[in-house]
Amino acid sequence: MNILAVESSCDETAVAVVRDGRTVLADAVASQADMHAIYGGVVPEIASRKHIEAIVGLSGQALEQAGIGKTDLDAVAVTYAPGLIGAVLVGVNFAKAAAFALELPLVPVHHVRGHIAANYIAHPELEPPFVCLCVSGGNTLIVDVRGYTEMEVMGATRDDAAGECFDKAARVLGIGYPGGAPMDRLAQGGDDRRYDLPRSHVSGAPLDMSFSGLKTAVINLVHNAGQKGEALDLPGLAASFSAAVSDTLVPRTMEAARLRGYGKVAVAGGVAANSRIRADLERACRRSGDKLYLPPLSLCGDNGAMIGCQGYYEYLAGVRAGMDLNAYANRDIGKG
Ligand code: KG4
């Protein structure tokens, strides 16, 4: 079964063709990151306009890459939530038009479910149940993936997402947007104990997280140093910051894994590319005996292949949308 998959929830327009859920025939991605870098963050209006400009050409490119025609498609899957509402709407309307014109079923896909599914593409043997740490620019969740379409949030950030925190810290350090990858590179040569940064706890909710205090601590540190004319040890700060994020994410993920006892832990989303988090999870899983599934860096960020993969499992579960499908800025992953 060939699925045309569309993703436009943030600043990447992506169209993929995925066969039977796990074979990626094409994965065309047009990133707008350069465009938003000038502003130090995603400008929603620009994102929507750029999606409109890219999406038709990208679909043609995906079909060409896949070596199939429109008549070889069996369904259209699309990210319908969560994301920047104007951006998600572009993909949803394009997918509706394609499904209508080609008389194909339309399958709505939750963006974070898509990130989780990137692991199925990378690890053919992986099947639910497992516990997944989902960390991206807009979401930070620990999810009990009970089945391909059956999920429960075990823990979540109460404020900023981990990726957003990386981006804001990088901005104040003047190392560009998106800041996660450059922060990661900068941290390589740094001493992770150079700065004492906070690790927050949410009282009464041990698996929930908070990143706003860490973000504010970095902003204050940089401003105070600037006022006093003191030089900062940038690699040390990047390393201390990455350690604080990882210390917030990894023990909670391992606790969730212990509570469920599936013996399998996965990671998903743009921040899953972070080398400190990957290394800490590898160490923690070696200790606990859980098998760890890490997506390759190419599948951590937003892409269409992950939507085609999850779309396949949603299709098998009977999930369909009509021409009245709407886009949503927020949506519980458990509700699909
Ligand atoms: O999954 P993604 O591409 O988009 C969303 O769905 O949000 O994630 C983007 C986020 C950005 O915040 C970016 O800075 C972060 O992932 N990111 C990283 C790394 N690579 C990308 N954060 C930390 N370390 C990295 N190596």
Side-chain angles (χ1 to χ4, degrees):
M1 156 172 216
N2 294 325
I3 294 187
L4 182 77
V6 179
E7 154 64 40
S8 68
S9 65
C10 191
D11 61 348
E12 257 105 25
T13 322
V15 182
V17 180
V18 178
R19 178 166 291 165
D20 299 332
R22 300 211 183 200
T23 306
V24 181
L25 301 185
D27 192 10
V29 182
S31 175
Q32 316 166 355
D34 289 356
M35 207 80 58
H36 301 289
I38 316 166
Y39 305 96
V42 179
V43 182
E45 269 307 310
I46 296 177
S48 308
R49 283 166 199 276
K50 290 290 154 196
H51 286 313
I52 292 170
E53 286 170 21
I55 204 157
V56 175
L58 215 58
S59 304
Q61 203 180 310
L63 286 175
E64 205 178 304
Q65 244 180 49
I68 64 167
K70 290 176 195 151
T71 51
D72 300 313
L73 293 169
D74 301 294
V76 180
V78 63
T79 299
Y80 80 108
L84 300 171
I85 192 71
V88 187
L89 266 172
V90 176
V92 164
N93 281 305
F94 176 80
K96 282 205 264 192
F100 183 75
L102 300 171
E103 296 182 35
L104 295 174
L106 178 64
V107 183
V109 176
H110 189 287
H111 178 72
V112 184
R113 287 188 175 201
H115 273 303
I116 295 171
N119 282 289
Y120 302 137
I121 299 170
H123 309 288
E125 75 285 9
L126 177 63
E127 285 179 9
F130 55 90
V131 163
C132 189
L133 169 65
C134 306
V135 265
S136 67
N139 303 278
T140 299
L141 304 169
I142 298 168
V143 179
D144 175 3
V145 185
R146 276 203 288 266
Y148 286 107
T149 57
E150 207 189 315
M151 297 173 205
E152 183 198 336
V153 175
M154 298 181 73
T157 180
R158 293 288 182 101
D159 39 55
D160 296 339
E164 192 182 339
C165 192
F166 264 105
D167 292 339
K168 296 273 162 61
R171 186 158 78 179
V172 80
L173 294 179
I175 57 171
Y177 171 86
M183 278 285 265
D184 196 359
R185 281 193 294 275
L186 188 61
Q188 305 296 321
D191 171 6
D192 64 3
R193 281 170 300 184
R194 178 72 178 75
Y195 294 95
D196 187 20
L197 296 173
R199 277 89 169 136
S200 306
H201 297 273
V202 180
S203 103
L207 296 184
D208 279 353
M209 296 155 273
S210 164
F211 290 99
S212 63
L214 174 60
K215 180 181 74 180
T216 307
V218 174
I219 293 171
N220 288 344
L221 207 141
V222 173
H223 286 167
N224 286 342
Q227 279 163 0
K228 290 183 196 154
E230 285 171 10
L232 283 167
D233 167 10
L234 289 184
L237 184 50
S240 304
F241 174 82
S242 304
V245 175
S246 188
D247 286 351
T248 305
L249 297 171
V250 174
R252 286 169 176 76
T253 305
M254 297 316 296
E255 174 58 7
R258 191 191 66 77
L259 288 169
R260 288 301 185 261
Y262 300 140
K264 287 183 275 184
V265 174
V267 201
V271 184
N274 185 266
S275 52
R276 172 69 192 240
I277 297 167
R278 291 171 87 95
D280 286 352
L281 277 167
E282 270 167 359
R283 205 171 308 114
C285 284
R286 256 198 313 274
R287 247 194 327 262
S288 68
D290 289 288
K291 174 132 179 61
L292 177 64
Y293 296 88
L294 293 168
L297 299 195
S298 59
L299 284 172
C300 289
D302 291 346
N303 63 83
M306 66 188 201
I307 301 303
C309 177
Q310 183 61 24
Y312 174 73
Y313 292 106
E314 301 285 349
Y315 177 88
L316 292 184
V319 177
R320 304 285 186 276
M323 287 300 125
D324 57 350
L325 175 65
N326 207 350
Y328 299 89
N330 295 300
R331 193 81 166 172
D332 183 347
I333 193 172
K335 299 210 170 80

